[in-house]
Amino acid sequence: MTALVWISGASAGIGAALAAAVPFPDARVIDISRSGGTTEHVRADLSNPADWQLVEQHFTKELAEYDGDHAIFIHNAGTITPIGPAATADPDAYTRAVLLNSASPQVLGAAFLRASAHLTCERHLILLSSGAAKTAYAGWSSYNAGKAAVEHWVRTVGQEQPANSHVIAVAPGVVDTAMQSEIRATDEADFPSVSRFHDLKRSGALVTPQSAAAGIWSLLTRNLPNGSCVDLRHL
């Protein structure tokens, strides 16, 4: 085994495409999600802080005596729900979104770095971002803020890394996933920019999950400075 790979949210969309396209033929690939998307699966609800400790314990156990060439964690899991003004959003759903989009990437990213700190192999922590990190879309407050938090965390933690540890954030573009279907089904009153996403779908401008996955995996071979926040559309 030359690579040990964790992907959160590998049960569908970009995560499933990432799991199917791991560029190491003998890699061990582990999904972290509620439903499971790969042969090996850590069952966890990443919007629930109680499950974060389970994931950290798994990282620690599996990496304790790991002697392969690459240790990789891609945090892909996220949610756009609830869409609508923050003041009228369901409080429980809003809290879960903040925990999943903002807190879990930081907590689990730090957990992976701690669990792998003793390794001398190549370590890669890749966090999924979005153009929403920089563009404030009304109706997406928890999602916008979560992606902005991911990027600034990456910029900061990237400065702290030794030579064999790589921490980056990547925005894959507008990808044709179930999240996009949910966005297009939203009423304009809750998401005033919804027509833009209908136009992207009609014009064929959406990226396939497979194309996004290929772009994300290509980052491992690029000489990106630690702490980089990149957009695949601009590479």
Side-chain angles (χ1 to χ4, degrees), residues 32 42-61 103-104 107-109 111-112 114-115:
I32 305 171
V42 176
R43 187 174 301 279
D45 178 356
L46 298 187
S47 68
N48 180 1
D51 284 3
W52 298 345
Q53 186 176 8
L54 299 176
V55 176
E56 176 163 16
Q57 289 170 350
H58 178 75
F59 285 154
T60 301
K61 175 178 178 290
S104 74
V107 173
L108 297 182
F112 172 77
R114 280 194 300 274

mmCIF file of all heavy atoms in Angstrom, residues 32 42-61 103-104 107-109 111-112 114-115:
data_model
loop_
_atom_site.group_PDB
_atom_site.id
_atom_site.type_symbol
_atom_site.label_atom_id
_atom_site.label_comp_id
_atom_site.label_asym_id
_atom_site.label_seq_id
_atom_site.Cartn_x
_atom_site.Cartn_y
_atom_site.Cartn_z
ATOM 1 N N ILE A 32 -15.698 8.754 5.029
ATOM 2 C CA ILE A 32 -16.241 9.226 6.303
ATOM 3 C C ILE A 32 -17.578 9.896 5.992
ATOM 4 O O ILE A 32 -17.611 10.965 5.376
ATOM 5 C CB ILE A 32 -15.303 10.228 6.998
ATOM 6 C CG1 ILE A 32 -13.896 9.639 7.186
ATOM 7 C CG2 ILE A 32 -15.884 10.661 8.340
ATOM 8 C CD1 ILE A 32 -12.869 10.660 7.659
ATOM 9 N N VAL A 42 -16.099 4.841 7.705
ATOM 10 C CA VAL A 42 -16.243 5.295 9.079
ATOM 11 C C VAL A 42 -17.589 6.010 9.158
ATOM 12 O O VAL A 42 -17.783 7.053 8.523
ATOM 13 C CB VAL A 42 -15.106 6.260 9.483
ATOM 14 C CG1 VAL A 42 -15.338 6.784 10.898
ATOM 15 C CG2 VAL A 42 -13.757 5.565 9.395
ATOM 16 N N ARG A 43 -18.530 5.432 9.895
ATOM 17 C CA ARG A 43 -19.869 6.019 9.981
ATOM 18 C C ARG A 43 -19.827 7.193 10.952
ATOM 19 O O ARG A 43 -19.563 7.025 12.149
ATOM 20 C CB ARG A 43 -20.881 4.975 10.447
ATOM 21 C CG ARG A 43 -22.336 5.467 10.396
ATOM 22 C CD ARG A 43 -23.300 4.348 10.732
ATOM 23 N NE ARG A 43 -23.163 3.227 9.813
ATOM 24 C CZ ARG A 43 -23.714 3.183 8.597
ATOM 25 N NH1 ARG A 43 -24.410 4.213 8.152
ATOM 26 N NH2 ARG A 43 -23.542 2.127 7.825
ATOM 27 N N ALA A 44 -20.085 8.384 10.432
ATOM 28 C CA ALA A 44 -20.042 9.580 11.272
ATOM 29 C C ALA A 44 -20.916 10.661 10.664
ATOM 30 O O ALA A 44 -20.951 10.836 9.444
ATOM 31 C CB ALA A 44 -18.602 10.093 11.401
ATOM 32 N N ASP A 45 -21.612 11.367 11.528
ATOM 33 C CA ASP A 45 -22.369 12.548 11.137
ATOM 34 C C ASP A 45 -21.497 13.746 11.482
ATOM 35 O O ASP A 45 -21.349 14.093 12.656
ATOM 36 C CB ASP A 45 -23.688 12.590 11.890
ATOM 37 C CG ASP A 45 -24.518 13.839 11.576
ATOM 38 O OD1 ASP A 45 -24.034 14.708 10.821
ATOM 39 O OD2 ASP A 45 -25.643 13.943 12.104
ATOM 40 N N LEU A 46 -20.908 14.361 10.476
ATOM 41 C CA LEU A 46 -19.916 15.409 10.741
ATOM 42 C C LEU A 46 -20.548 16.740 11.146
ATOM 43 O O LEU A 46 -19.825 17.693 11.439
ATOM 44 C CB LEU A 46 -19.003 15.586 9.524
ATOM 45 C CG LEU A 46 -18.191 14.337 9.162
ATOM 46 C CD1 LEU A 46 -17.199 14.650 8.057
ATOM 47 C CD2 LEU A 46 -17.475 13.764 10.379
ATOM 48 N N SER A 47 -21.879 16.797 11.201
ATOM 49 C CA SER A 47 -22.535 17.962 11.788
ATOM 50 C C SER A 47 -22.759 17.774 13.285
ATOM 51 O O SER A 47 -23.284 18.661 13.955
ATOM 52 C CB SER A 47 -23.879 18.234 11.099
ATOM 53 O OG SER A 47 -24.820 17.201 11.387
ATOM 54 N N ASN A 48 -22.322 16.625 13.800
ATOM 55 C CA ASN A 48 -22.475 16.297 15.218
ATOM 56 C C ASN A 48 -21.101 16.241 15.874
ATOM 57 O O ASN A 48 -20.322 15.315 15.607
ATOM 58 C CB ASN A 48 -23.186 14.949 15.353
ATOM 59 C CG ASN A 48 -23.376 14.539 16.807
ATOM 60 O OD1 ASN A 48 -23.003 15.259 17.739
ATOM 61 N ND2 ASN A 48 -23.951 13.373 17.020
ATOM 62 N N PRO A 49 -20.765 17.202 16.733
ATOM 63 C CA PRO A 49 -19.428 17.217 17.347
ATOM 64 C C PRO A 49 -19.077 15.940 18.091
ATOM 65 O O PRO A 49 -17.893 15.610 18.208
ATOM 66 C CB PRO A 49 -19.496 18.416 18.311
ATOM 67 C CG PRO A 49 -20.516 19.326 17.697
ATOM 68 C CD PRO A 49 -21.541 18.405 17.103
ATOM 69 N N ALA A 50 -20.068 15.205 18.569
ATOM 70 C CA ALA A 50 -19.776 13.963 19.282
ATOM 71 C C ALA A 50 -19.090 12.947 18.384
ATOM 72 O O ALA A 50 -18.328 12.101 18.871
ATOM 73 C CB ALA A 50 -21.069 13.367 19.848
ATOM 74 N N ASP A 51 -19.345 13.026 17.074
ATOM 75 C CA ASP A 51 -18.731 12.078 16.140
ATOM 76 C C ASP A 51 -17.325 12.489 15.713
ATOM 77 O O ASP A 51 -16.590 11.666 15.152
ATOM 78 C CB ASP A 51 -19.608 11.913 14.896
ATOM 79 C CG ASP A 51 -20.834 11.051 15.162
ATOM 80 O OD1 ASP A 51 -21.025 10.641 16.324
ATOM 81 O OD2 ASP A 51 -21.601 10.796 14.226
ATOM 82 N N TRP A 52 -16.945 13.726 15.955
ATOM 83 C CA TRP A 52 -15.600 14.158 15.554
ATOM 84 C C TRP A 52 -14.529 13.371 16.308
ATOM 85 O O TRP A 52 -13.493 13.044 15.743
ATOM 86 C CB TRP A 52 -15.432 15.657 15.806
ATOM 87 C CG TRP A 52 -16.366 16.526 15.026
ATOM 88 C CD1 TRP A 52 -17.126 16.162 13.927
ATOM 89 C CD2 TRP A 52 -16.668 17.895 15.281
ATOM 90 N NE1 TRP A 52 -17.876 17.224 13.502
ATOM 91 C CE2 TRP A 52 -17.610 18.308 14.313
ATOM 92 C CE3 TRP A 52 -16.241 18.809 16.227
ATOM 93 C CZ2 TRP A 52 -18.125 19.600 14.270
ATOM 94 C CZ3 TRP A 52 -16.748 20.108 16.196
ATOM 95 C CH2 TRP A 52 -17.673 20.490 15.220
ATOM 96 N N GLN A 53 -14.777 13.092 17.576
ATOM 97 C CA GLN A 53 -13.799 12.341 18.369
ATOM 98 C C GLN A 53 -13.617 10.930 17.811
ATOM 99 O O GLN A 53 -12.507 10.395 17.815
ATOM 100 C CB GLN A 53 -14.230 12.284 19.828
ATOM 101 C CG GLN A 53 -13.188 11.643 20.726
ATOM 102 C CD GLN A 53 -13.581 11.682 22.196
ATOM 103 O OE1 GLN A 53 -14.683 12.056 22.541
ATOM 104 N NE2 GLN A 53 -12.649 11.305 23.054
ATOM 105 N N LEU A 54 -14.698 10.325 17.314
ATOM 106 C CA LEU A 54 -14.595 8.997 16.713
ATOM 107 C C LEU A 54 -13.677 9.016 15.501
ATOM 108 O O LEU A 54 -12.874 8.103 15.293
ATOM 109 C CB LEU A 54 -15.976 8.498 16.302
ATOM 110 C CG LEU A 54 -17.017 8.322 17.415
ATOM 111 C CD1 LEU A 54 -18.363 7.917 16.821
ATOM 112 C CD2 LEU A 54 -16.543 7.286 18.430
ATOM 113 N N VAL A 55 -13.792 10.073 14.701
ATOM 114 C CA VAL A 55 -12.951 10.197 13.514
ATOM 115 C C VAL A 55 -11.495 10.395 13.919
ATOM 116 O O VAL A 55 -10.583 9.771 13.358
ATOM 117 C CB VAL A 55 -13.432 11.354 12.624
ATOM 118 C CG1 VAL A 55 -12.491 11.539 11.431
ATOM 119 C CG2 VAL A 55 -14.860 11.097 12.126
ATOM 120 N N GLU A 56 -11.257 11.234 14.911
ATOM 121 C CA GLU A 56 -9.875 11.446 15.360
ATOM 122 C C GLU A 56 -9.269 10.147 15.895
ATOM 123 O O GLU A 56 -8.103 9.832 15.613
ATOM 124 C CB GLU A 56 -9.794 12.525 16.435
ATOM 125 C CG GLU A 56 -8.373 12.679 16.975
ATOM 126 C CD GLU A 56 -8.124 13.959 17.729
ATOM 127 O OE1 GLU A 56 -9.087 14.633 18.115
ATOM 128 O OE2 GLU A 56 -6.934 14.286 17.922
ATOM 129 N N GLN A 57 -10.036 9.395 16.642
ATOM 130 C CA GLN A 57 -9.532 8.122 17.155
ATOM 131 C C GLN A 57 -9.188 7.169 16.017
ATOM 132 O O GLN A 57 -8.186 6.440 16.084
ATOM 133 C CB GLN A 57 -10.581 7.497 18.080
ATOM 134 C CG GLN A 57 -10.742 8.233 19.393
ATOM 135 C CD GLN A 57 -11.946 7.752 20.196
ATOM 136 O OE1 GLN A 57 -12.780 6.989 19.689
ATOM 137 N NE2 GLN A 57 -12.055 8.195 21.437
ATOM 138 N N HIS A 58 -9.989 7.207 14.960
ATOM 139 C CA HIS A 58 -9.713 6.365 13.796
ATOM 140 C C HIS A 58 -8.421 6.804 13.108
ATOM 141 O O HIS A 58 -7.573 5.962 12.768
ATOM 142 C CB HIS A 58 -10.889 6.440 12.823
ATOM 143 C CG HIS A 58 -10.688 5.652 11.573
ATOM 144 N ND1 HIS A 58 -10.778 4.270 11.528
ATOM 145 C CD2 HIS A 58 -10.371 6.038 10.311
ATOM 146 C CE1 HIS A 58 -10.539 3.855 10.299
ATOM 147 N NE2 HIS A 58 -10.290 4.912 9.545
ATOM 148 N N PHE A 59 -8.264 8.122 12.886
ATOM 149 C CA PHE A 59 -7.008 8.632 12.312
ATOM 150 C C PHE A 59 -5.809 8.140 13.135
ATOM 151 O O PHE A 59 -4.820 7.640 12.584
ATOM 152 C CB PHE A 59 -6.993 10.163 12.317
ATOM 153 C CG PHE A 59 -7.844 10.840 11.292
ATOM 154 C CD1 PHE A 59 -8.326 12.129 11.519
ATOM 155 C CD2 PHE A 59 -8.159 10.243 10.079
ATOM 156 C CE1 PHE A 59 -9.085 12.791 10.585
ATOM 157 C CE2 PHE A 59 -8.923 10.894 9.127
ATOM 158 C CZ PHE A 59 -9.392 12.181 9.390
ATOM 159 N N THR A 60 -5.888 8.320 14.437
ATOM 160 C CA THR A 60 -4.771 7.988 15.322
ATOM 161 C C THR A 60 -4.427 6.505 15.236
ATOM 162 O O THR A 60 -3.253 6.119 15.136
ATOM 163 C CB THR A 60 -5.113 8.380 16.766
ATOM 164 O OG1 THR A 60 -5.377 9.784 16.820
ATOM 165 C CG2 THR A 60 -3.965 8.049 17.705
ATOM 166 N N LYS A 61 -5.447 5.663 15.262
ATOM 167 C CA LYS A 61 -5.232 4.217 15.220
ATOM 168 C C LYS A 61 -4.603 3.796 13.895
ATOM 169 O O LYS A 61 -3.619 3.026 13.881
ATOM 170 C CB LYS A 61 -6.566 3.496 15.421
ATOM 171 C CG LYS A 61 -6.509 1.980 15.290
ATOM 172 C CD LYS A 61 -7.874 1.369 15.555
ATOM 173 C CE LYS A 61 -7.846 -0.150 15.377
ATOM 174 N NZ LYS A 61 -7.673 -0.533 13.939
ATOM 175 N N ALA A 103 -16.951 24.379 11.350
ATOM 176 C CA ALA A 103 -16.179 23.801 12.444
ATOM 177 C C ALA A 103 -15.538 22.466 12.097
ATOM 178 O O ALA A 103 -14.373 22.228 12.443
ATOM 179 C CB ALA A 103 -17.071 23.656 13.679
ATOM 180 N N SER A 104 -16.270 21.575 11.432
ATOM 181 C CA SER A 104 -15.701 20.241 11.217
ATOM 182 C C SER A 104 -14.440 20.249 10.357
ATOM 183 O O SER A 104 -13.509 19.476 10.638
ATOM 184 C CB SER A 104 -16.746 19.279 10.643
ATOM 185 O OG SER A 104 -17.022 19.523 9.286
ATOM 186 N N VAL A 107 -11.652 21.247 12.911
ATOM 187 C CA VAL A 107 -11.423 20.270 13.969
ATOM 188 C C VAL A 107 -10.833 18.983 13.393
ATOM 189 O O VAL A 107 -9.850 18.433 13.921
ATOM 190 C CB VAL A 107 -12.730 19.991 14.722
ATOM 191 C CG1 VAL A 107 -12.548 18.835 15.713
ATOM 192 C CG2 VAL A 107 -13.205 21.237 15.459
ATOM 193 N N LEU A 108 -11.411 18.487 12.304
ATOM 194 C CA LEU A 108 -10.921 17.231 11.724
ATOM 195 C C LEU A 108 -9.602 17.434 10.988
ATOM 196 O O LEU A 108 -8.757 16.535 10.966
ATOM 197 C CB LEU A 108 -11.972 16.639 10.792
ATOM 198 C CG LEU A 108 -13.282 16.242 11.473
ATOM 199 C CD1 LEU A 108 -14.236 15.623 10.467
ATOM 200 C CD2 LEU A 108 -13.042 15.286 12.626
ATOM 201 N N GLY A 109 -9.422 18.603 10.384
ATOM 202 C CA GLY A 109 -8.130 18.897 9.762
ATOM 203 C C GLY A 109 -7.019 18.895 10.788
ATOM 204 O O GLY A 109 -5.955 18.296 10.577
ATOM 205 N N ALA A 111 -7.105 17.351 13.614
ATOM 206 C CA ALA A 111 -6.976 15.977 14.108
ATOM 207 C C ALA A 111 -6.099 15.144 13.180
ATOM 208 O O ALA A 111 -5.258 14.344 13.650
ATOM 209 C CB ALA A 111 -8.360 15.344 14.241
ATOM 210 N N PHE A 112 -6.286 15.298 11.878
ATOM 211 C CA PHE A 112 -5.454 14.563 10.923
ATOM 212 C C PHE A 112 -3.993 14.975 11.039
ATOM 213 O O PHE A 112 -3.087 14.128 11.010
ATOM 214 C CB PHE A 112 -5.959 14.808 9.495
ATOM 215 C CG PHE A 112 -5.068 14.244 8.428
ATOM 216 C CD1 PHE A 112 -5.070 12.882 8.143
ATOM 217 C CD2 PHE A 112 -4.217 15.069 7.698
ATOM 218 C CE1 PHE A 112 -4.240 12.354 7.156
ATOM 219 C CE2 PHE A 112 -3.390 14.553 6.714
ATOM 220 C CZ PHE A 112 -3.403 13.189 6.437
ATOM 221 N N ARG A 114 -2.460 16.163 13.657
ATOM 222 C CA ARG A 114 -1.900 15.607 14.904
ATOM 223 C C ARG A 114 -1.589 14.120 14.742
ATOM 224 O O ARG A 114 -0.518 13.652 15.139
ATOM 225 C CB ARG A 114 -2.890 15.783 16.059
ATOM 226 C CG ARG A 114 -2.921 17.148 16.680
ATOM 227 C CD ARG A 114 -3.657 17.136 18.011
ATOM 228 N NE ARG A 114 -5.046 16.703 17.886
ATOM 229 C CZ ARG A 114 -6.065 17.507 17.591
ATOM 230 N NH1 ARG A 114 -5.843 18.795 17.368
ATOM 231 N NH2 ARG A 114 -7.295 17.043 17.520
ATOM 232 N N ALA A 115 -2.548 13.393 14.170
ATOM 233 C CA ALA A 115 -2.390 11.940 14.065
ATOM 234 C C ALA A 115 -1.259 11.550 13.129
ATOM 235 O O ALA A 115 -0.672 10.469 13.273
ATOM 236 C CB ALA A 115 -3.697 11.313 13.594
#
